[in-house]
Amino acid sequence: MELTPIITVNDLHFSYPKRPVLEGIDFTLQRGEVVSLLGPNGCGKSTLIRLILKLIHAARGEIWLHNKTLHRYSHREIASHIAYIPQYHNVPFNYSVLEMVIMGRISKLGLFASPSENDRIIAIKSLERVGISDLATRPFGQLSGGQKQMVLLARALTQGVDTFIMDEPVSGLDYGNQIRLLELIVSLSAQGYTFLKTTHYPDHALMVSSRVVVMNDGKIIADGNPSDVITAPMIREVYGINTDLITHNSNTWCIPTFSKGAL
C-alpha cells in the first residue's frame, strides 16, 4: 500500500515568551498509521498538537494538511479533515450523550442549519460502533472519565473524518478503561482510520503503535518502529530511569528496575 501523507511538518519552531519549546521539528503522519508521540512533561508534545490544529501559530516553519499549507485552512475546514479528542472535556450545559455525539456533525452543517434525522442516525451508529449506545440518554456530565473518552471518540466518528488526534487519551482513566480504549484504537485502525496520539506510557506505545516518535527538550530524538525506538537506553535518556524490556506472547513490556529498600 502506498503511503499518503496527511500531515507534514517542516522545520517547525515555536517559543513562548522567553522560553523556546520546539526547535526544528520535521514530522509526517501517513494515512493508516497509529503514531504515538512519547516524551516527558514539557517536551513539546501538546504544543505540537496545538500547532497542527492551528490553535497557535509557529514562529518559523510550515505545516501541510494534505496538499495545502495550514494557514490556508479555516478551523472549520480543518475539522472536515481531522477530529481532535482532548485530554479533558467539560461542557457548560448538561447535554445528553447523544446530543454530544451529534455535535460532531457541526462541521458538515451550514452556519444556521440544525442537525437532520440523518445526522441523528449517523450519531447513533457511531455510539453503536464504540459500544456505548446504552449511554445515549445519560447526561454527559455524570459519566466517568472512561465513558467520556468513549463518547468523544464516538463524536469524532460522527464528524465523518478518518484522521484522529488524541492528547493523552488514557490520562485519568482506570486500568480497565485504559485497555478498552487502546483496544478500540487498534480496532478502528484496522478499519483504515489514522491516529496521532500523545502518551506518557511506553507500554501503550508498544501495544498499539505502527510508529513511535520520541520528543525531548523540544526536539525529535527518535522516529521509527516501536520495538526499535523504545529501548532501555532511550528510556534512561528521556526519563532518567532504568528499565528492562520483557517480551511475552509477542507483546513487549517496559518494566522499571528499582530497589524498594532505596526509598
Side-chain angles (χ1 to χ4, degrees):
M1 182 181 68
E2 182 180 353
L3 294 178
T4 303
I6 296 175
I7 297 166
T8 304
V9 176
N10 292 326
D11 193 29
L12 201 66
H13 294 252
F14 181 83
S15 297
Y16 291 110
K18 300 181 180 180
R19 183 169 68 91
V21 179
L22 299 177
E23 300 179 39
I25 298 295
D26 292 297
F27 165 81
T28 300
L29 177 68
Q30 310 276 4
R31 185 170 301 283
E33 290 187 304
V34 178
V35 175
S36 292
L37 285 176
L38 189 67
N41 288 329
C43 71
K45 301 188 304 295
S46 293
T47 297
L48 178 58
I49 295 298
R50 294 179 69 199
L51 286 162
I52 290 172
L53 295 170
K54 203 180 174 181
L55 300 177
I56 53 178
H57 300 279
R60 196 172 89 214
E62 195 69 81
I63 301 174
W64 291 75
L65 176 57
H66 297 298
N67 58 350
K68 290 197 308 185
T69 58
L70 198 65
H71 72 265
R72 294 175 59 190
Y73 285 89
S74 67
H75 288 100
R76 186 185 186 89
E77 289 171 329
I78 292 172
S80 70
H81 295 280
I82 298 172
Y84 173 55
I85 302 173
Q87 181 178 352
Y88 301 108
H89 190 83
N90 295 312
V91 293
F93 304 104
N94 209 13
Y95 295 108
S96 72
V97 165
L98 181 57
E99 288 170 331
M100 284 291 296
V101 175
I102 288 175
M103 290 178 191
R105 301 300 296 167
I106 288 175
S107 65
K108 307 294 183 184
L109 302 174
L111 186 59
F112 300 106
S114 297
S116 66
E117 181 59 23
N118 185 57
D119 293 321
R120 178 184 172 87
I121 291 171
I122 291 171
I124 291 172
K125 288 182 177 179
S126 295
L127 286 170
E128 291 172 350
R129 289 184 71 182
V130 177
I132 55 171
S133 55
D134 59 311
L135 301 179
T137 60
R138 290 272 301 275
F140 179 77
Q142 295 179 13
L143 301 182
S144 69
Q147 289 170 325
K148 286 181 178 179
Q149 281 297 100
M150 294 298 190
V151 172
L152 295 178
L153 189 50
R155 187 176 69 176
L157 287 168
T158 301
Q159 200 168 318
V161 301
D162 57 13
T163 301
F164 299 154
I165 292 180
M166 309 177 79
D167 192 8
E168 297 182 27
V170 303
S171 179
L173 303 189
D174 65 46
Y175 185 67
N177 279 319
Q178 288 181 19
I179 301 304
R180 278 186 280 273
L181 183 56
L182 293 173
E183 287 177 336
L184 188 54
I185 290 172
V186 171
S187 174
L188 290 171
S189 69
Q191 298 170 39
Y193 289 92
T194 302
F195 288 85
L196 172 63
K197 65 180 188 66
T198 66
T199 183
H200 283 302
Y201 299 98
D203 287 342
H204 294 175
L206 285 163
M207 288 168 65
V208 305
S209 308
S210 56
R211 198 168 114 236
V212 171
V213 176
V214 181
M215 297 183 65
N216 198 20
D217 294 330
K219 300 175 183 177
I220 291 176
I221 64 169
D223 182 348
N225 184 282
S227 61
D228 295 332
V229 168
I230 300 177
T231 63
M234 184 279 288
I235 297 293
R236 186 162 51 250
E237 176 186 352
V238 172
Y239 295 102
I241 61 171
N242 294 319
T243 56
D244 288 330
L245 270 73
I246 299 173
T247 300
H248 176 68
N249 290 339
S250 76
N251 292 316
T252 301
W253 307 92
C254 185
I255 310 297
T257 58
F258 63 93
S259 172
K260 293 181 179 179
L263 298 179

